[in-house]
Amino acid sequence: MRLVSKNFSLTRDSVIMCSASAISIPTCSRLHFSVPTEPSKSHLKLSRIRTNPSISCHKITCSNGGLTEAFQRLDGSIEAYAYALELCGKSRAISQGRQLHSLVVRTFPAIELDFLAGKLVFMYGKCGSLNEAEKVFDEMRHRTAFAWNAMIGAYVSNGEPASALSVYRKMRSLENVPVHLHSFPVLLKACGNLRDIRTGTELHSLLVKLGYQSTDFVVNALVSMYAKNDDLSAARRLFDGSVEKGDDVVLWNSIMSSYSTSGQSLETLQLFRDMQMSGPPSNSYTLVSALTACEGLSFAKLGKEIHAASLKSAHCFEVFVCNALIAMYTRCGKMLEAGRIFRLMDNHDVVTWNSLIKGYVENVMYKEALEFFCDMIAAGHRPDEVSLTSVIAASGRLGNLLVGMGLHAYVIKHGWDSNLQVGNTLIDMYSKCNHTSYMGCAFLMMHEKDLISWTTVIAGYAQNDCDVEALELFRDVAKKRMETDEMMLGSILRACSALKSLLIVKEIHCHILRKGLLDTVIQNELIDVYGKCGNMGYATRIFESIKGKDVVSWTSMVSSSVHNGNENEAVELFRRMVETGLVADSIALSSILSAVASLSALMKGREVHGYLLRKRFCLEGSIAVAVVDMYACCGDLHSANAVFDRIERKGLLQYTSMINAYGMHGCGKASVDLFDKMRLQNVSPDHVSFLALLYACSHAGLLDEGRRFLKIMEHEYKLEPWPEHYVCLVDMLGRANCVLEAFEFVKMMKTEPTTEVWCALLAACRSHSEKEIGEIAAQKLIELEPKNPGNLVLVSNVFAEQGRWDDVANVREKMKANGLEKHPGCSWIEIGGKVHRFTARDKSHPDTKVIYEKLSQVTRKLEREAGYVANTKLVLHNVDEGVKVQMLHGHSERLAIAYGLLRTPDRGRLRITKNLRVCSDCHTFCKLVSKLFRRTIVMRDANRFHHFESGLCSCGDSW
């Protein structure tokens, strides 16, 4: 068959150059050149083809009439078939393309098929049929340059950039096959997708060698390639060196998009401003890039300026510009403005609806997101993956199981249950709704599972206290030899810390080391879990091995030290962290304030408070609670109250902390008043706030108020009391000498009385010498917790007070046989920023000699001037009276007082903390010291605070 005339025949050696339409050009490039068709062979005159009346008319008709007319006008010429195949590719009409393929094979001889085979490769590639494109390409006897370039374009447009580069390398190995100029953007796009900067640089060098490096669309493709490979400096050099950038809007858009995609918002917006000043007129792509760069509330003003610029242009009504505006306003937290743009739009696509739904979720407006989703369905739009994942996440964060299950049903009904992202979001939703059985079912029903699926379900079990199930799933992950990430390991380590299983923690630690997964994040998690399992040795060793300690490393170590009662070490660690220049986070501050509160180290607490003020931490949330609690525990109720008054947004936590502060200082009436004020502010109390209130009523002797609030809790707020609430009521009745009523209340409790309830009843019996009821309470304590040393000591003391020394001996023998020891009494005082600790009859302090001399002087003065006589009945040991007196005189709080009198100025306030309840004799001792030495003594014992002043105590001698 003849191609154009009888005087011309098709030869194999002709070079066919590829056209721009034969390759997949990146959309961001938006090339500035006309789209030519494939030139014919070297000795075929293009002028003849272009001036041929039949061809020219045919091509115009094809362009206007579409595929049907193009088929009707096939005149047997090779150009007509080539054009029709090109049109099929552009229209993605694979069915018609296959018909043409069949017709070509029947019509043309084998020698002429190589020319059209390239067009077939192009057509199949554009239609997404990569297998057929490969088959045509592989069967070609003599592959033309066009066919090579078309195959490269087919691979890139169908998401196989690696295969595209492989074809490119094979093509380069052949001597006479050139890379067409318009194939370079496609190859550079492949390098960007694969993050293959080495091949990208090689292509850049080849472009320089060929002299094409300044071509506008090539520069655009190079900028995009370097940006995707995180080499923005190279991309910027290309942009700055372009001589035609003043008129090339595509180049400006390309560099702006590169900066915006890399998260460099300020640079993107600066480029937008420069473009407005000296660049070409912006288009819709420019506006979208600039709007995408506006992330967060700080960019809201700039976002509005770009919005104003779009209103002045002709692009403000384009759907994707409006979508970008909605997305920008949602990121900046301006949901009213986003909604206003939505209402002004004439046409809404799925992206429009998704942008607003996602915005509601990101701005914690979950109910609005769900309502808007319903509106979307009512408007006739079909939700996609983004819509569904957003609303499922919203129902999970609301904890609304019913809505979540309804969405799950919608997902199954409309065939989205096989979608991986939707399945992962369903798992997370059920986890947040605390329904692990449904979560497990959703996980098992997933057709496909990835690392996120396994991580989400393991985290869900760990967060819902199903620690064993989390461990079992992790073992499945290990058996399948799947990859693990830091989130999965963090979840499983948290499960181990809840189980307090040191052995399993060590196993997982070994697994991490074997897999080479140890990094700073995992090391921080290991510090935390070893600390919670009580192994501070391992925690310290891991902490010291971290070379680049971050704030989380220090925080984990501080928190672990506090958790294990090493408050002094926690304070020292915090000091070291501050010296490194790291700024503590809210968790570190909460932990160190807790440590200072435990130590009652007021000076240290004030230092930490000063630190958070200097670093401009907002006094709200958990930080405000920790500061109030710290001052209260350090005995400075005035400062606690002052901090509380300065909190702008007071919630339940803040009110509860202050109610508790008043309670521990014996200010029960103030606690009641604050509780009533809280209710007037429409803040609903919970179990903890009622517990703090009942504790305050107990220590202030407000029995009637305590009974009233317990009824309010049950009937008005429908809160079922915890055992701790009952303990407070039993304690109140005991303090009011209503021991029999307390016993009757215990017997009538809805739930089985706990050891704490019996302990409170036994303490009341001991105070009021109720031997019969005390015997019952003591027996119950021994039955319920036979290995609790605190309870056994209390029982032993009751027996000792009754002179039942044989029973005392039996209890102590039982403790010895079980390896139980009484917690030793300990008191401490802070002087000069240092905490000094004392135990009973302690002689380890460097100033022991002068401390005991001072204590003897004080005791003699009290005996001489106030008639003080030691109450030896409180010494519950079967020893001589003289020994009992010596034992009383050596109590730890007296040693702390003596040291305080030595090292503080006259009339200075003494702040002392004791880990046990202060005994009656020491209580009398403190009152007399406050009177005769004119000192205010603030003592915190295991029960409450005692403010001794002028011979009186704030507890009213009832504690």
Side-chain angles (χ1 to χ4, degrees):
M1 177 182 177
R2 300 196 180 278
L3 181 63
V4 177
S5 71
K6 64 181 180 180
N7 296 321
F8 177 77
S9 61
L10 192 66
T11 63
R12 182 174 61 83
D13 298 324
S14 304
V15 179
I16 300 177
M17 300 299 289
C18 120
S19 69
S21 59
I23 59 177
S24 174
I25 303 296
T27 55
C28 63
S29 298
R30 298 186 53 87
L31 308 181
H32 292 294
F33 56 87
S34 59
V35 183
T37 59
E38 178 185 1
S40 61
K41 301 175 185 179
S42 59
H43 59 277
L44 180 64
K45 294 181 180 177
L46 286 172
S47 59
R48 183 174 178 182
I49 296 175
R50 288 178 179 171
T51 57
N52 186 306
S54 64
I55 301 265
S56 178
C57 179
H58 159 73
K59 295 185 87 168
I60 293 171
T61 306
C62 282
S63 177
N64 294 333
L67 279 172
T68 304
E69 200 166 344
F71 268 77
Q72 292 171 352
R73 291 181 177 271
L74 285 174
D75 56 4
S77 68
I78 198 167
E79 280 83 1
Y81 277 92
Y83 188 77
L85 285 169
E86 188 175 329
L87 197 59
C88 287
K90 290 179 179 178
S91 305
R92 301 186 184 279
I94 192 167
S95 178
Q96 292 88 335
R98 285 173 178 150
Q99 293 175 34
L100 276 174
H101 187 175
S102 177
L103 200 58
V104 163
V105 171
R106 291 198 305 268
T107 304
F108 296 98
I111 194 171
E112 296 181 350
L113 284 179
D114 287 344
F115 177 77
L116 289 174
K119 288 294 184 181
L120 284 167
V121 171
F122 164 76
M123 183 272 296
Y124 281 126
K126 281 290 186 182
C127 291
S129 183
L130 200 55
N131 289 335
E132 290 175 282
E134 288 175 329
K135 185 177 180 182
V136 173
F137 183 76
D138 292 340
E139 290 176 353
M140 289 179 70
R141 294 181 303 163
H142 305 290
R143 296 179 184 126
T144 63
F146 179 84
W148 283 97
N149 288 293
M151 197 66 232
I152 289 170
Y155 277 125
V156 173
S157 62
N158 286 280
E160 294 197 20
S163 299
L165 293 182
S166 177
V167 170
Y168 159 73
R169 292 187 183 98
K170 288 178 184 176
M171 185 177 73
R172 289 285 291 158
S173 67
L174 302 175
E175 293 184 359
N176 297 321
V177 183
V179 183
H180 194 272
L181 175 62
H182 295 122
S183 290
F184 280 101
V186 184
L187 290 165
L188 289 168
K189 180 180 180 181
C191 294
N193 292 342
L194 291 170
R195 302 179 72 84
D196 183 357
I197 195 167
R198 183 176 179 180
T199 306
T201 308
E202 177 190 319
L203 287 165
H204 191 178
S205 301
L206 182 59
L207 284 163
V208 173
K209 183 179 178 181
L210 296 172
Y212 296 143
Q213 74 275 13
S214 299
T215 307
D216 51 2
F217 61 86
V218 170
V219 174
N220 294 339
L222 283 167
V223 167
S224 178
M225 183 275 293
Y226 280 118
K228 287 179 180 176
N229 281 283
D230 299 326
D231 192 353
L232 279 175
S233 58
R236 187 59 186 262
R237 283 196 300 272
L238 283 166
F239 172 78
D240 292 338
S242 176
V243 294
E244 297 181 1
K245 68 178 179 183
D247 300 320
D248 190 354
V249 66
V250 178
L251 182 59
W252 282 88
N253 289 346
S254 185
I255 191 68
M256 283 178 61
S257 176
S258 300
Y259 275 113
S260 180
T261 305
S262 300
Q264 300 193 34
S265 302
L266 292 175
E267 289 80 357
T268 307
L269 294 170
Q270 183 59 52
L271 280 165
F272 177 73
R273 185 158 288 174
D274 294 343
M275 185 177 177
Q276 299 290 97
M277 299 290 291
S278 58
S282 59
N283 60 17
S284 54
Y285 294 97
T286 315
L287 294 169
V288 170
S289 292
L291 289 167
T292 305
C294 297
E295 297 181 344
L297 187 60
S298 58
F299 289 94
K301 186 178 179 182
L302 288 169
K304 287 182 179 179
E305 290 178 10
I306 299 167
H307 187 181
S310 74
L311 291 173
K312 294 176 184 177
S313 70
H315 309 294
C316 61
F317 298 110
E318 295 181 24
V319 173
F320 59 95
V321 173
C322 292
N323 291 345
L325 281 165
I326 290 171
M328 179 273 295
Y329 278 122
T330 60
R331 288 194 301 273
C332 295
K334 304 288 185 181
M335 292 306 299
L336 289 175
E337 287 83 349
R340 191 176 297 119
I341 292 169
F342 178 87
R343 289 190 295 274
L344 291 172
M345 290 175 68
D346 294 326
N347 299 310
H348 308 106
D349 59 10
V350 175
V351 177
T352 315
W353 289 90
N354 287 349
S355 298
L356 212 52
I357 291 171
K358 192 175 179 183
Y360 281 127
V361 175
E362 289 172 349
N363 286 279
V364 202
M365 301 171 71
Y366 306 127
K367 291 182 179 178
E368 290 81 353
L370 294 171
E371 290 170 1
F372 202 70
F373 177 75
C374 295
D375 294 341
M376 175 184 180
I377 295 174
H381 290 276
R382 296 197 67 177
D384 62 4
E385 178 185 301
V386 177
S387 326
L388 291 168
T389 53
S390 296
V391 292
I392 292 169
S395 63
R397 290 169 192 174
L398 282 171
N400 194 326
L401 180 63
L402 189 61
V403 171
M405 292 175 72
L407 289 168
H408 193 173
Y410 181 93
V411 162
I412 295 170
K413 182 179 178 180
H414 292 84
W416 283 98
D417 52 324
S418 59
N419 183 280
L420 182 61
Q421 300 305 322
V422 172
N424 291 340
T425 312
L426 282 167
I427 294 170
D428 184 63
M429 179 271 292
Y430 282 124
S431 166
K432 286 185 168 59
C433 290
N434 306 317
H435 214 299
T436 53
S437 59
Y438 287 174
M439 180 188 74
C441 290
F443 175 74
L444 292 173
M445 289 172 65
M446 288 181 70
H447 301 283
E448 179 189 357
K449 301 179 181 73
D450 63 358
L451 176 63
I452 296 173
S453 313
W454 287 90
T455 301
T456 306
V457 73
I458 288 172
Y461 279 125
Q463 290 162 8
N464 285 282
D465 301 324
C466 300
D467 307 305
V468 175
E469 289 85 348
L471 283 168
E472 287 174 353
L473 275 174
F474 184 73
R475 286 197 177 95
D476 290 343
V477 169
K479 287 176 185 176
K480 294 175 186 289
R481 300 185 180 277
M482 291 173 57
E483 293 292 324
T484 54
D485 62 2
E486 60 189 38
M487 289 187 65
M488 184 186 292
L489 290 169
S491 296
I492 206 65
L493 286 170
R494 281 189 285 276
C496 293
S497 67
L499 290 170
K500 298 287 189 294
S501 177
L502 187 60
L503 181 61
I504 299 176
V505 173
K506 289 180 179 179
E507 287 179 9
I508 294 170
H509 191 175
C510 290
H511 172 83
I512 292 166
L513 293 173
R514 282 197 306 271
K515 296 290 185 180
L517 299 171
L518 196 66
D519 60 9
T520 304
V521 174
I522 297 299
Q523 285 174 312
N524 294 341
E525 291 281 1
L526 285 168
I527 292 169
D528 186 65
V529 71
Y530 275 124
K532 286 177 178 172
C533 290
N535 195 324
M536 284 303 296
Y538 275 26
T540 303
R541 202 184 310 174
I542 293 169
F543 175 75
E544 297 298 342
S545 69
I546 301 175
K547 293 180 180 178
K549 298 179 181 70
D550 58 14
V551 66
V552 181
S553 311
W554 289 95
T555 301
S556 299
M557 197 63 198
V558 169
S559 300
S560 296
S561 298
V562 174
H563 179 76
N564 286 277
N566 303 327
E567 289 85 4
N568 284 313
E569 289 83 348
V571 171
E572 177 60 21
L573 282 164
F574 184 79
R575 184 192 62 78
R576 284 172 56 193
M577 181 183 73
V578 172
E579 286 179 353
T580 64
L582 287 170
V583 178
D585 59 11
S586 58
I587 299 172
L589 287 168
S590 296
S591 296
I592 196 62
L593 286 166
S594 174
V596 171
S598 297
L599 290 171
S600 294
L602 183 61
M603 294 303 296
K604 292 287 184 187
R606 285 174 176 163
E607 288 177 15
V608 177
H609 188 189
Y611 173 87
L612 67 90
L613 290 176
R614 288 195 303 275
K615 297 300 180 182
R616 300 185 182 279
F617 278 90
C618 293
L619 199 64
E620 59 184 17
S622 60
I623 291 289
V625 172
V627 174
V628 169
D629 188 59
M630 179 274 294
Y631 277 119
C633 291
C634 290
D636 192 349
L637 186 61
H638 176 76
S639 295
N641 195 31
V643 170
F644 176 77
D645 289 340
R646 283 199 295 271
I647 299 171
E648 293 183 6
R649 288 177 291 184
K650 297 181 180 72
L652 179 62
L653 289 175
Q654 289 74 32
Y655 276 109
T656 302
S657 65
M658 197 63 220
I659 290 168
N660 186 59
Y662 283 133
M664 70 171 70
H665 285 268
C667 304
K669 188 66 171 66
S671 291
V672 171
D673 291 343
L674 187 59
F675 183 82
D676 291 336
K677 182 180 178 181
M678 179 182 80
R679 294 174 70 196
L680 288 173
Q681 296 295 323
N682 294 320
V683 178
S684 296
D686 63 359
H687 283 89
V688 179
S689 49
F690 271 111
L691 185 60
L693 182 65
L694 291 171
Y695 169 85
C697 292
S698 173
H699 286 282
L702 303 176
L703 178 59
D704 294 335
E705 288 84 349
R707 284 170 167 160
R708 180 169 62 88
F709 285 123
L710 194 63
K711 288 180 181 178
I712 289 172
M713 176 184 175
E714 290 187 81
H715 300 114
E716 186 174 334
Y717 291 98
K718 309 300 181 186
L719 296 172
E720 188 67 28
W722 294 344
E724 291 83 355
H725 297 98
Y726 293 132
V727 170
C728 287
L729 186 60
V730 171
D731 187 58
M732 272 187 271
L733 291 167
R735 290 175 188 276
N737 198 12
C738 301
V739 180
L740 186 58
E741 185 181 346
F743 182 51
E744 291 299 324
F745 174 78
V746 170
K747 290 194 294 184
M748 297 297 292
M749 279 175 58
K750 297 177 184 177
T751 58
E752 190 68 25
T754 61
T755 53
E756 290 79 12
V757 173
W758 289 112
C759 193
L761 184 61
L762 181 58
C765 294
R766 183 184 175 191
S767 298
H768 299 287
S769 302
E770 283 286 349
K771 295 182 181 181
E772 187 178 341
I773 298 174
E775 184 73 31
I776 296 170
Q779 190 60 40
K780 284 288 185 181
L781 276 177
I782 294 172
E783 288 176 7
L784 290 171
E785 289 189 0
K787 294 186 179 181
N788 185 314
N791 292 342
L792 292 175
V793 168
L794 180 60
V795 172
S796 173
N797 289 344
V798 171
F799 290 158
E801 287 175 350
Q802 297 172 8
R804 296 163 57 180
W805 298 110
D806 290 340
D807 292 331
V808 171
N810 288 336
V811 172
R812 290 179 179 171
E813 279 296 323
K814 186 179 294 186
M815 289 178 65
K816 187 176 180 180
N818 290 319
L820 304 175
E821 293 183 0
K822 175 188 174 184
H823 296 298
C826 178
S827 299
W828 55 93
I829 184 171
E830 183 190 23
I831 295 175
K834 184 178 179 182
V835 176
H836 299 264
R837 193 181 295 267
F838 301 92
T839 57
R841 297 180 296 284
D842 190 2
K843 294 188 179 180
S844 62
H845 196 278
D847 296 327
T848 293
K849 185 177 180 180
V850 292
I851 290 171
Y852 276 95
E853 288 175 356
K854 183 65 176 177
L855 182 57
S856 297
Q857 292 174 10
V858 171
T859 304
R860 287 195 297 271
K861 183 171 182 175
L862 298 187
E863 291 171 341
R864 185 175 60 252
E865 298 182 18
Y868 166 71
V869 177
N871 185 2
T872 56
K873 290 182 180 179
L874 299 172
V875 180
L876 304 175
H877 293 274
N878 193 12
V879 293
D880 295 335
E881 285 295 310
V883 176
K884 289 183 179 181
V885 171
Q886 291 301 314
M887 291 175 74
L888 284 172
H889 287 179
H891 277 190
S892 59
E893 56 266 56
R894 303 193 191 204
L895 296 174
I897 289 171
Y899 188 69
L901 292 171
L902 281 168
R903 294 290 182 260
T904 58
D906 288 343
R907 301 196 180 184
R909 189 185 299 263
L910 301 180
R911 299 182 185 276
I912 296 164
T913 305
K914 183 171 182 177
N915 66 334
L916 302 177
R917 178 181 180 274
V918 63
C919 73
S920 298
D921 193 64
C922 289
H923 192 268
T924 302
F925 180 89
C926 292
K927 288 197 296 182
L928 295 175
V929 168
S930 70
K931 180 179 180 181
L932 297 182
F933 289 85
R934 298 183 180 180
R935 295 289 193 116
T936 298
I937 302 174
V938 179
M939 180 179 289
R940 172 187 166 194
D941 71 1
N943 283 358
R944 57 167 293 158
F945 269 91
H946 302 265
H947 293 258
F948 299 99
E949 192 169 4
S950 302
L952 299 174
C953 180
S954 60
C955 72
D957 296 337
S958 175
W959 70 102

